[in-house]
Amino acid sequence: MASLTTSSCLIFLLALLPPLAAVAVPRRHRFLPLQLAPVNASEPPTTFLEVDRPIQPPRGSVGPCSALLLSDSFGYTYGRPPATASYVPPECLAAARARGGSLALAVLEWSADCRGRQFDRIFGVWLSGAELLRSCTAEPRPNGIHWSVSRDVTRYAALLSEPGEVAVYLGNIVDSTYTGVYHANLTLHLYFHPTTPSPPPPPHSDLVLPISRSLPLNDGQWFAIQNSTDAQSKKLAIPSNTYRAVLEVFVSFHSNDEDWFTHPPNEYIEANKLSSNIGNGAFREVIVKVNEDIVGAVWPFTVIYTGGVNPLFWRPITGIGSFNLPTYDIDITPFLGKLLDGKEHEFGFGVTNALDVWFIDANLHLWLDHKSGKTTGGIVSYDTSTSANVDSEFSGLDGRFMSSASRHVSATGWVESSHGKVMTTFYQRFSYKNSNVYSKNGSEQVVNQTIDVKSGVFTTNGAVLHSEEVVHQVFPLYLFSGTSDEVGDEYSLVSAVKLGINEKRVSGGEQGFSYSSLRNAQSARGSMRVKGNLVTSGYGENHQVYKYLGTHGCYFRDVSSKNYTIIFDHSDDSCLKGSRDKDSRLPSR
Ligand SMILES: *[C@@H]1O[C@H](CO)[C@@H](O)[C@H](O)[C@H]1NC(C)=O
Ligand SMILES: *[C@@H]1O[C@H](CO)[C@@H](O)[C@H](O)[C@H]1NC(C)=O
Ligand SMILES: *[C@@H]1O[C@H](CO)[C@@H](O)[C@H](O)[C@H]1NC(C)=O
Ligand SMILES: *[C@@H]1O[C@H](CO)[C@@H](O)[C@H](O)[C@H]1NC(C)=O
Ligand SMILES: *[C@@H]1O[C@H](CO)[C@@H](O)[C@H](O)[C@H]1NC(C)=O
Ligand SMILES: *[C@@H]1O[C@H](CO)[C@@H](O)[C@H](O)[C@H]1NC(C)=O
């Protein structure tokens, strides 16, 4: 039974939760998919969206040339093999190559509809074992829903030019109550640099090797990490003429760890004899290893899926990252000296404090020396340190838990290729703070968390800086949840969420200088009346402000929804106006 929970974005089996009346602690569980006010089924379907900046083809590029990769329906697909289709590179790709053109942009578009009642489901899209998209579905309505997600997949150019196999795993369960079948089309859109003037050298890798599970499988190709000691890995050999290597990690958390950031320490659960098994505190860390070395970590953004907290928050504006989960890059070039021996090496993942279940896999992007069959390398320095601390203070069901953690990873190594002897340094600096306060005899919970990640890659030619890229990300999260007016198995739940991604990127080198700044914030609040695990009435509103400024363009959007309706929606893509006057219109709640 427990394995059923791995099918969805949510804690699937409410039957496993403690009887509601026994515990006053705010319920962190999922509600059955909402079917509130009667819906006029002949009204047009609702269109869900994740706010993001549009993907712009580079200036002067031509296209798109589009190819349908897969079209399928996901009914009772849980525990069955993924939907697959053979992939043949679109003819326009070979034709453009023959003309001397090159790929300027590749976009993968997932477009889906659904009608009826259904949970939100996690899904993944893989090409030849390399994951291209991790996403959560929207929850349908009787009148139907539609949504689409686009992801820039240009960095997989090497995979897109070879025949392969597309696989989509979306574990869905359909019965007489949960009737929603997801129908989806997966389309690839390609844009090309014309032959003249000569296109810039492609920044993408020459080879993409999947660190995932191979088909056949009755599951997704991701690894499932079930507890804090579980470690999953894959062995593979890399070409001996590799001169640069980057691991791109996909992460999502479900079932017992879907809202890990709200979990109290185990002592609190034990002292209060709470029968809930969702503890282990509020800190999680994904550790990425190559052989025995921790090459980097992922402190993931707190994605909230479409059924999370109060499902009416996310209709139709879905939670940040829920339709297009962020991925995390770890540059392992400094370690190449240990990997260029032509032998297999182990690439593995673990999650500190994990509860069942985390879905993790990665793509290894490799740059090869076309002028030499063999590169050499060596590690010069490597250092990692970590600390974690929890201050607990509680009496009965009330209390406060202050958790903090930090990690530092830094590695420097050289690689000698036909590009010369290049020294690469990669570092990550993480810090985390979580305050979790229960009050009113445990009926109210306030979580305030900040994850701060600084990372950078520098390459030098001995003394002279070649290139650098520095990224600073901050993931703030605030969550209020309070239960009241308990009568039998009925109660009211008031909740509020603020979450965001703030990111600054600076890079410089042969490709020129670029800078970008993103502030993406959502603020949602609402209430629900719950009977058993059914939401009998409810209300939810969400306000999102997205501000992106960069050397390659700008995008602003200020959008708000209430229940299922967009209240206002302002957007602007000019870099001149907008930034100043919109600064004064930050979410006010
Ligand atoms: C607090 O909640 C517990 C568990 O529901 C209950 O047994 C206890 O009586 C409550 N205490 C007060 C002061 O309301
Ligand atoms: C249902 O919606 C359709 C289309 O919007 C409308 O023509 C019809 O009158 C509505 N029916 C009811 C009962 O509201
Ligand atoms: C998928 O494509 C078919 C054929 O173009 C179209 O009829 C259908 O509506 C599409 N479905 C979705 C969910 O986009
Ligand atoms: C952790 O998960 C692994 C993989 O499912 C399992 O083999 C192991 O027994 C588990 N360990 C604990 C302590 O539950
Ligand atoms: C959350 O914590 C941050 C930093 O500790 C603080 O600035 C902020 O005011 C807190 N937010 C709330 C809503 O408590
Ligand atoms: C929407 O909002 C109103 C309050 O403004 C509420 O009465 C209504 O029941 C809400 N829920 C739905 C699902 O329409």
Side-chain angles (χ1 to χ4, degrees):
M1 281 295 270
S3 64
L4 266 184
T5 60
T6 64
S7 70
S8 61
C9 299
L10 53 87
I11 299 169
F12 184 74
L13 288 180
L14 294 145
L16 291 179
L17 291 162
L20 293 178
V23 184
V25 174
R27 283 89 179 166
R28 283 183 302 274
H29 67 247
R30 286 327 192 76
F31 306 100
L32 296 181
L34 286 182
Q35 304 282 279
L36 292 176
V39 179
N40 178 346
S42 40
E43 272 177 23
T46 308
T47 299
F48 280 59
L49 71 144
E50 180 177 337
V51 172
D52 202 350
R53 59 187 180 280
I55 303 172
Q56 300 285 4
R59 204 165 287 147
S61 63
V62 295
C65 139
S66 302
L68 181 68
L69 301 187
L70 181 142
S71 178
D72 218 315
S73 295
F74 298 86
Y76 204 119
T77 47
Y78 179 77
R80 306 251 164 95
T84 56
S86 48
Y87 173 77
V88 181
E91 276 171 24
C92 57
L93 191 58
R97 288 261 164 77
R99 287 196 312 269
S102 69
L103 187 66
L105 172 69
V107 176
L108 182 74
E109 184 190 7
W110 164 274
S111 163
D113 56 39
C114 190
R115 184 184 289 271
R117 182 188 290 223
Q118 194 48 268
F119 287 97
D120 47 353
R121 304 292 186 187
I122 190 74
F123 67 95
V125 176
W126 292 264
L127 174 58
S128 306
E131 188 159 352
L132 302 188
L133 175 69
R134 179 79 58 93
S135 184
C136 181
T137 63
E139 287 188 0
R141 308 179 75 189
N143 60 314
I145 60 160
H146 175 84
W147 83 100
S148 70
V149 192
S150 289
R151 182 161 187 254
D152 184 338
V153 292
T154 318
R155 70 188 300 189
Y156 310 98
L159 275 181
L160 296 172
S161 64
E162 299 290 333
E165 185 173 37
V166 177
V168 176
Y169 183 79
L170 188 167
N172 192 21
I173 293 176
V174 173
D175 60 20
S176 57
T177 312
Y178 303 106
T179 53
V181 172
Y182 290 102
H183 304 282
N185 292 338
L186 192 63
T187 311
L188 182 66
H189 305 284
L190 302 175
Y191 299 81
F192 299 96
H193 291 296
T195 22
T196 49
S198 68
H204 46 75
S205 58
D206 299 292
L207 184 64
V208 182
L209 296 178
I211 317 284
S212 65
R213 297 192 299 164
S214 304
L215 298 177
L217 283 171
N218 292 325
D219 195 353
Q221 293 187 258
W222 44 51
F223 295 103
I225 307 263
Q226 298 183 306
N227 58 50
S228 56
T229 54
D230 197 0
Q232 299 287 330
S233 65
K234 180 171 171 175
K235 282 190 171 160
L236 56 90
I238 66 165
S240 303
N241 61 340
T242 303
Y243 69 91
R244 187 179 167 216
V246 174
L247 264 174
E248 177 196 23
V249 184
F250 286 74
V251 170
S252 60
F253 29 84
H254 306 281
S255 301
N256 290 344
D257 246 356
E258 179 173 326
D259 42 16
W260 50 269
F261 35 86
T262 67
H263 291 193
N266 293 340
E267 311 89 84
Y268 174 82
I269 292 177
E270 285 152 18
N272 287 296
K273 301 192 170 56
L274 303 179
S275 47
S276 145
N277 59 350
I278 43 179
N280 277 12
F283 173 64
R284 300 291 182 274
E285 171 182 41
V286 178
I287 296 286
V288 181
K289 280 184 166 183
V290 177
N291 300 323
E292 286 312 305
D293 296 320
I294 295 175
V295 293
V298 176
W299 290 23
F301 172 66
T302 48
V303 176
I304 299 179
Y305 306 116
T306 48
V309 189
N310 174 339
L312 283 166
F313 289 174
W314 320 116
R315 294 156 194 244
I317 306 172
T318 197
I320 295 172
S322 59
F323 283 174
N324 188 357
L325 273 82
T327 65
Y328 306 87
D329 281 358
I330 294 172
D331 196 313
I332 62 165
T333 309
F335 295 89
L336 275 181
K338 298 182 171 194
L339 307 175
L340 292 168
D341 55 7
K343 299 198 175 111
E344 289 199 327
H345 294 274
E346 188 164 22
F347 295 77
F349 313 102
V351 182
T352 306
N353 299 332
L355 292 176
D356 199 16
V357 63
W358 288 64
F359 292 150
I360 302 180
D361 62 18
N363 300 322
L364 179 56
H365 296 261
L366 300 173
W367 284 257
L368 308 180
D369 189 350
H370 298 297
K371 294 190 186 133
S372 153
K374 181 90 188 92
T375 53
T376 53
I379 190 145
V380 173
S381 65
Y382 166 58
D383 177 46
T384 183
S385 60
T386 180
S387 73
N389 182 57
V390 185
D391 284 330
S392 293
E393 192 188 305
F394 64 94
S395 155
L397 288 166
D398 288 350
R400 55 197 305 129
F401 310 100
M402 312 296 282
S403 313
S404 60
S406 66
R407 176 178 287 280
H408 166 79
V409 183
S410 166
T412 299
W414 58 270
V415 175
E416 185 151 16
S417 70
S418 65
H419 302 278
K421 187 169 176 176
V422 176
M423 195 75 82
T424 301
T425 298
F426 174 69
Y427 70 86
Q428 296 180 308
R429 260 181 243 127
F430 298 94
S431 76
Y432 158 95
K433 271 192 169 39
N434 178 295
S435 129
N436 181 0
V437 178
Y438 290 99
S439 58
K440 300 197 177 159
N441 197 27
S443 67
E444 284 188 5
Q445 184 185 19
V446 176
V447 173
N448 189 5
Q449 175 176 293
T450 306
I451 291 174
D452 188 299
V453 188
K454 294 189 182 81
S455 67
V457 187
F458 297 90
T459 63
T460 66
N461 190 1
V464 185
L465 191 67
H466 260 185
S467 69
E468 67 174 316
E469 175 166 25
V470 177
V471 182
H472 182 195
Q473 294 177 309
V474 181
F475 306 147
L477 170 74
Y478 167 85
L479 206 148
F480 168 84
S481 148
T483 52
S484 59
D485 304 327
E486 204 154 340
V487 184
D489 68 343
E490 265 192 68
Y491 62 94
S492 296
L493 181 73
V494 174
S495 44
V497 172
K498 292 183 195 187
L499 90 160
I501 292 187
N502 298 324
E503 182 181 281
K504 285 200 164 85
R505 282 177 186 270
V506 182
S507 65
E510 288 166 7
Q511 311 275 341
F513 172 81
S514 79
Y515 166 84
S516 70
S517 156
L518 171 68
R519 292 184 75 85
N520 186 8
Q522 286 183 321
S523 175
R525 61 179 176 184
S527 61
M528 296 187 286
R529 187 75 188 158
V530 181
K531 182 171 169 49
N533 51 25
L534 279 173
V535 179
T536 54
S537 65
Y539 147 82
E541 61 181 64
N542 193 349
H543 179 199
Q544 182 164 7
V545 179
Y546 184 104
K547 301 202 301 170
Y548 174 85
L549 287 143
T551 38
H552 300 297
C554 300
Y555 185 70
F556 304 94
R557 191 157 178 187
D558 185 352
V559 56
S560 182
S561 67
K562 185 169 173 179
N563 289 349
Y564 283 87
T565 309
I566 297 282
I567 305 299
F568 63 81
D569 187 355
H570 309 296
S571 61
D572 180 357
D573 62 5
S574 74
C575 286
L576 293 174
K577 57 183 203 165
S579 56
R580 196 169 293 127
D581 45 74
K582 277 176 187 165
D583 261 326
S584 60
R585 298 221 315 252
L586 282 171
S588 52
R589 284 183 219 98

